[in-house]
Amino acid sequence: MKLTLSLLASGALSASAFTGSPLAFAPASVSRPSTTALDASKNKLKIASRTKWAESRGFGSAGVAESEGVAAGLMTNADGLEYVKLVHPDTGATSEVYLLGGVVTSYVDGDGQEFIAVRPDAKMDGSKPISGGLSHCWPQFGPGEIQQHGFARNVNWTVKSVTETSVELEMAPSDYTKEMWDKEFLCTFSVDLEADQLSTKMFVENKGEESFDFQAALHSYFTVSALENLEISGSFEGKEFLNKLAGDGGEMQTEERSAITITEEYDRVYKGINDPVLKDAGTGKTLSVLNTAGWEDTVLWNPYGDEGMGYNNFVCVESVKVSRTFLSLFFLKCGLNCVYNVGVEEKEC
């Protein structure tokens, strides 16, 4: 199984992938095939209603589909927030992509395994950005000239096209974005649900006559059985990192460990480190984050001790490009490649 992520800046592809076995995750709420004629009848009514809704927005009947009783298409959650549900007709794998923030909040494979974590304190009513999922930090990562992590995660993206297994979203400048960042851009974000993988692509275009620069990050939440079972290895030993929670406003430190364990609150930026491997002794699974191009840095974040955030069952291992990328009339390309590889932890006999 693979979860593929990619970011394009006017033409250059980036990819990320999950392969092998997934990490453990608390059971997610997944629609199942109808088991009675009454349920089937209700489901057909829902499909008809959603089809009418999709057609009214110009997407046609392809905007809503049905795979063995599981509806796919444009939907609204209990709090009135819109999202697109994708369903693979052969495997039954599903994914959910919210228009708010263009964030993927779920990827469940054909065996019912959830790959993506959403915090238990996440607001799913549009009152704030969704806490969890594959969250966009754009055009800024962290604090800076505009609001924390930019605005891509807290504006509504527009549905450009949708099918049973894919959706393409767009984000363009609005009065809201221009108040803080007056640049002419167009971001396109597509999600494709395949038999054994979920692929995403982000395409950033400079639509104006002036150059601009931006930062980007995948603020990705991954599930763990428990932090006491988690070990993060990679080329960390001997490297400097910014511990944002130390001193007055953070301080540079040197990592002395070859394998990192989280026993306190974490917010650390490892520049030049892009090969983290998550090992979960509780599940016997490993997650290798292979940043092959573009994503040069890694951020480790966890709100240790915060029960409300569900700190003990997730970790953020973020693929980041801290340095800014420039888009001009002459330079319009940026490649950011990352592969998430999931396997079985090897144990000594």
Side-chain angles (χ1 to χ4, degrees):
M1 290 155 287
K2 267 192 304 192
L3 169 56
T4 302
L5 302 163
S6 53
L7 170 62
L8 277 76
S10 190
L13 175 67
S14 72
S16 308
F18 277 116
T19 58
S21 305
L23 291 174
F25 188 75
S29 175
V30 182
S31 301
R32 297 298 181 190
S34 302
T35 56
T36 67
L38 179 59
D39 286 341
S41 177
K42 288 182 178 179
N43 195 48
K44 288 181 179 179
L45 289 174
K46 290 180 180 179
I47 295 295
S49 175
R50 290 165 183 152
T51 299
K52 183 178 180 181
W53 187 90
E55 289 177 340
S56 71
R57 297 195 174 193
F59 304 123
S61 59
V64 177
E66 181 179 6
S67 177
E68 297 186 3
V70 182
L74 296 154
M75 301 186 180
T76 304
N77 72 4
D79 293 314
L81 207 56
E82 295 177 335
Y83 68 98
V84 174
K85 188 178 184 76
L86 307 178
V87 180
H88 196 278
D90 298 326
T91 65
T94 64
S95 180
E96 295 180 2
V97 186
Y98 273 75
L99 274 59
L100 176 63
V103 58
V104 180
T105 58
S106 175
Y107 169 47
V108 179
D109 68 9
D111 296 326
Q113 174 66 55
E114 176 65 80
F115 283 76
I116 298 172
V118 174
R119 286 181 0 208
D121 64 333
K123 299 295 183 182
M124 306 300 290
D125 58 2
S127 61
K128 61 180 296 187
I130 295 172
S131 300
L134 308 179
S135 182
H136 299 290
C137 296
W138 193 90
Q140 178 177 288
F141 176 64
E145 296 180 359
I146 62 176
Q147 65 186 20
Q148 177 91 354
H149 292 326
F151 50 73
R153 64 180 187 150
N154 62 327
V155 299
N156 282 308
W157 294 55
T158 302
V159 178
K160 183 177 180 181
S161 64
V162 61
T163 69
E164 184 179 14
T165 59
S166 68
V167 62
E168 187 173 22
L169 306 178
E170 281 188 347
M171 177 182 63
S174 65
D175 291 340
Y176 171 73
T177 65
K178 288 181 178 180
E179 286 182 359
M180 67 184 88
W181 203 66
D182 190 15
K183 310 299 180 184
E184 294 298 326
F185 67 88
L186 180 65
C187 292
T188 305
F189 181 62
S190 61
V191 182
D192 292 283
L193 180 65
E194 301 175 39
D196 63 349
Q197 69 179 27
L198 184 74
S199 300
T200 76
K201 297 178 181 179
M202 185 172 176
F203 190 80
V204 181
E205 296 179 82
N206 183 350
K207 306 296 285 188
E209 298 181 353
E210 296 181 359
S211 302
F212 63 78
D213 61 76
F214 64 87
Q215 290 175 301
L218 298 175
H219 198 313
S220 304
Y221 284 68
F222 300 111
T223 58
V224 295
S225 59
L227 287 180
E228 65 181 5
N229 299 325
L230 176 67
E231 182 180 274
I232 305 172
S233 59
S235 56
F236 293 95
E237 188 173 11
K239 302 296 179 58
E240 286 193 336
F241 66 92
L242 173 62
N243 185 345
K244 298 174 75 173
L245 302 178
D248 185 12
E251 63 181 40
M252 297 301 298
Q253 299 177 348
T254 300
E255 183 59 70
E256 299 178 350
R257 299 168 294 176
S258 60
I260 296 171
T261 55
I262 297 179
T263 58
E264 60 182 334
E265 186 176 359
Y266 255 64
D267 192 354
R268 304 185 178 189
V269 181
Y270 293 82
K271 293 198 67 175
I273 307 297
N274 60 0
D275 62 347
V277 178
L278 289 73
K279 298 180 180 180
D280 190 333
T283 63
K285 304 294 171 63
T286 65
L287 175 67
S288 300
V289 183
L290 309 174
N291 296 294
T292 58
W295 298 120
E296 301 169 348
D297 316 306
T298 297
V299 171
L300 302 182
W301 183 82
N302 180 270
Y304 192 88
D306 194 321
E307 297 284 355
M309 288 189 182
Y311 79 97
N312 201 37
N313 293 115
F314 79 85
V315 64
C316 287
V317 180
E318 307 167 30
S319 298
V320 183
K321 184 172 175 58
V322 175
S323 60
R324 292 184 172 276
T325 298
F326 289 85
L327 289 185
S328 68
L329 299 179
F330 306 100
F331 178 75
L332 296 172
K333 297 181 179 181
C334 172
L336 299 166
N337 305 319
C338 180
V339 176
Y340 299 95
N341 186 280
V342 183
V344 179
E345 182 180 1
E346 296 183 1
K347 296 183 179 180
E348 297 181 359
C349 297

